[in-house]
Amino acid sequence: MMTCFPALMYYFWVCLEYHQGKLLVPSQWTIEALTDFFWHDIWAKIQVGAYPTTAAVKIYMGYVTLSFILAYIMPGPIVEGLPIPSLKGKKLKYLCNGLSSWYFTLALSAVLHVTGVFRLTSIIDNFAGIMTVAIIWGFTMSALVYLYSNLTGQNHRMSGNFFYDFFMGAPLNPRIGHVDLKMWAEIRVPWPVLFYISLSCALKQWETRGTVTPPVAFMVLAHFLYVNACQKGEECIPPSWDIFYEKDGFMLIFWNMAGVPFTYCYSSIYLMKYELLTGTAILHSMPYTVFLFALLLTGYYIFDTGNSQKNRFRMEQNGIFFTRNAFPQLPWGHLKNPSYIKTKHGNLLLTSGWWGIARKPHYTADLMMAISWGLITGFGSFLPYFYFCFFVCVLTHRVSRDMERCASKYGDDWVLYCQKVPYIFIPFIY
Ligand code: NDP
């Protein structure tokens, strides 16, 4: 996976950049044809188009540095995490300044763009170079975190197999000062970068045709909603599985630094490139467009309120809940007097709201949004559907790991919970 991820990212970029999103295949399946395919069709294009130029380094590392500084200095509420068993029950504190950092970044980027100091269209103009910088940074940061935690003895649950441990990670809660590197990497880099790639595509379209088409505007809205949700609900993240249990390894670091922003953006780039290459924009009928906006917004509503219901319930249970009126607060995001199962372990399992309907309602909602990102581009290329297909695999794998973990953690109580809420994704179907 550590070699295939970057290779796939370059391959998809070549298909998108030079072949209108069509998947390239060798002319024949012989060694000569494959070698020729690699050197001429892929490598030659990477060398020319994806070189990590100085501009690319400045854009990507500039943003990464800015986002880290903001995470360090911007104001926000301080939230206490769950007691961490590997730290002998110690609770860590998290400065949740994602929202103030996000608003500051939006304002700063608007000023830079309008004044011409940094045109946001430069992002898409330097896309492949920036992707290379992100890939290099993904490996570098993974190596630094791995080395540092091994040298300082902060590694946990190590298997002894170097490749597996490097992939899954060594430390649980690496920090620089008060900034939790895992939480920073998870929401401060991937989603804002993804949003800016889409915004850059929209601005490019605006510059070339004078308007922004509904599908391109759709992608900007979709990515805005996602990044905004991550920042406005940041205080819900410390008790989540990723922070509490997952280690900070290549899987999380590379995927957050490079994988998410540079593969989840195919829809936006495909829409923009299609028009540049063919001279015709991708447009759909009004009912189809309205249907997709409804699908996106419904998915978003369930995603937002589903995550919010469970996390706020858990925060109340741990005595760390506080009201936060970050925009938008949607109805049904906070359940009053919910039903639950009290486990012998001590934790409560929510059985009200979306959580009485399915065991992973927020995954279903996330997948609804993911498929809408593909459908808005039509059916001319597989690449805008890559995110949905990949995400199905990620979430299926996550569900099986999570169910296994919860079954062993909660025993009979988990069996009772599964009887009470029998469906995982969609009631009466699965
Ligand atoms: P969850 O929010 O589902 O967290 C799982 C944990 O929640 C379980 O281990 C359990 O922890 C607790 N839990 C499960 N059921 C209940 C219940 N009924 N009541 C109370 N607690 C319960 O998982 P994720 O962290 O994977 O997902 C969070 C969000 O992030 C989702 O919306 C997901 O779609 C999104 N996501 C997006 C990704 C992307 O690339 N776009 C990637 C990954 C996630 P405990 O042991 O404490 O009981």
Side-chain angles (χ1 to χ4, degrees):
M1 280 200 259
M2 287 192 278
T3 47
C4 281
F5 279 163
L8 204 61
M9 287 164 74
Y10 280 119
Y11 168 71
F12 283 157
W13 166 72
V14 171
C15 298
L16 206 53
E17 181 71 24
Y18 299 99
H19 300 275
Q20 240 175 288
K22 304 250 167 350
L23 294 184
L24 277 182
V25 281
S27 53
Q28 286 177 315
W29 294 99
T30 60
I31 296 290
E32 291 78 26
L34 282 170
T35 314
D36 186 61
F37 175 73
F38 174 75
W39 288 114
H40 292 105
D41 292 322
I42 308 289
W43 184 246
K45 305 246 168 54
I46 294 173
Q47 266 187 320
V48 176
Y51 190 79
T53 57
T54 313
V57 174
K58 279 186 189 164
I59 294 172
Y60 183 80
M61 292 313 292
Y63 175 73
V64 167
T65 311
L66 172 75
S67 88
F68 185 83
I69 293 171
L70 293 179
Y72 214 95
I73 62 169
M74 290 300 277
I78 295 173
V79 172
E80 204 170 58
L82 297 180
I84 298 184
S86 52
L87 295 179
K88 299 193 176 78
K90 188 177 166 192
K91 292 180 182 175
L92 296 172
K93 288 199 165 62
Y94 298 84
L95 171 60
C96 295
N97 56 12
L99 201 64
S100 55
S101 306
W102 167 229
Y103 289 162
F104 177 85
T105 310
L106 283 176
L108 178 69
S109 61
V111 171
L112 293 179
H113 180 76
V114 171
T115 54
V117 174
F118 175 70
R119 301 287 295 169
L120 291 173
T121 42
S122 327
I123 298 171
I124 202 63
D125 291 339
N126 291 281
F127 176 81
I130 301 176
M131 181 175 84
T132 301
V133 178
I135 289 173
I136 296 170
W137 173 240
F139 275 96
T140 310
M141 185 172 159
S142 306
L144 290 175
V145 170
Y146 185 80
L147 270 177
Y148 183 77
S149 54
N150 270 299
L151 291 175
T152 53
Q154 293 179 37
N155 42 13
H156 296 276
R157 307 194 306 264
M158 303 298 273
S159 74
N161 177 321
F162 168 75
F163 293 104
Y164 181 80
D165 289 337
F166 186 75
F167 185 80
M168 293 308 289
L172 194 56
N173 306 99
R175 284 180 170 228
I176 296 182
H178 57 262
V179 178
D180 182 286
L181 285 185
K182 207 164 42 165
M183 200 156 125
W184 166 74
E186 204 161 72
I187 62 161
R188 303 295 181 92
V189 178
W191 304 104
V193 173
L194 177 65
F195 166 75
Y196 277 109
I197 292 172
S198 291
L199 184 63
S200 186
C201 290
L203 290 169
K204 192 87 187 164
Q205 193 182 49
W206 176 268
E207 278 185 1
T208 45
R209 69 168 3 233
T211 52
V212 174
T213 57
V216 171
F218 178 97
M219 287 315 304
V220 176
L221 173 69
H223 291 163
F224 175 84
L225 287 174
Y226 215 108
V227 57
N228 194 61
C230 292
Q231 315 308 330
K232 87 181 173 92
E234 190 187 13
E235 76 279 6
C236 298
I237 298 177
S240 78
W241 191 36
D242 271 2
I243 300 301
F244 180 70
Y245 182 76
E246 290 284 43
K247 295 189 290 175
D248 199 21
F250 179 88
M251 180 176 80
L252 285 188
I253 297 173
F254 182 86
W255 204 245
N256 283 319
M257 293 295 149
V260 168
F262 295 94
T263 62
Y264 291 11
C265 60
Y266 293 151
S267 301
S268 309
I269 299 182
Y270 175 73
L271 288 167
M272 190 206 73
K273 284 273 167 208
Y274 187 92
E275 187 177 4
L276 286 181
L277 292 171
T278 64
T280 323
I282 292 178
L283 293 165
H284 307 293
S285 67
M286 182 65 98
Y288 185 76
T289 309
V290 170
F291 164 72
L292 290 182
F293 269 95
L295 180 65
L296 173 73
L297 295 174
T298 310
Y300 177 76
Y301 174 73
I302 303 172
F303 167 79
D304 183 316
T305 51
N307 275 306
S308 174
Q309 284 177 356
K310 188 193 71 169
N311 290 320
R312 285 176 168 169
F313 169 75
R314 270 289 162 89
M315 289 172 82
E316 279 179 334
Q317 183 197 341
N318 287 291
I320 53 172
F321 174 75
F322 65 99
T323 309
R324 199 175 180 206
N325 292 321
F327 179 79
Q329 290 300 314
L330 301 174
W332 220 36
H334 184 200
L335 296 170
K336 302 260 156 54
N337 304 317
S339 62
Y340 53 80
I341 292 174
K342 186 161 178 26
T343 65
K344 288 179 216 62
H345 175 278
N347 278 352
L348 309 180
L349 291 171
L350 181 63
T351 53
S352 272
W354 295 113
W355 299 85
I357 298 171
R359 272 180 261 157
K360 292 287 179 189
H362 54 343
Y363 282 7
T364 310
D366 225 341
L367 289 170
M368 283 164 72
M369 292 195 284
I371 191 72
S372 77
W373 298 8
L375 290 170
I376 198 68
T377 67
F379 300 95
S381 166
F382 160 74
L383 290 182
Y385 294 89
F386 166 77
Y387 167 49
F388 176 74
C389 297
F390 172 79
F391 204 31
V392 167
C393 302
V394 168
L395 291 187
T396 314
H397 184 232
R398 253 172 119 89
V399 167
S400 62
R401 284 172 67 210
D402 195 37
M403 295 287 159
E404 208 176 288
R405 200 178 67 84
C406 289
S408 78
K409 181 172 174 180
Y410 295 121
D412 292 347
D413 295 319
W414 188 253
V415 177
L416 179 67
Y417 170 67
C418 293
Q419 280 165 1
K420 206 158 180 174
V421 188
Y423 296 99
I424 298 179
F425 290 118
I426 306 172
F428 308 109
I429 298 181
Y430 185 76

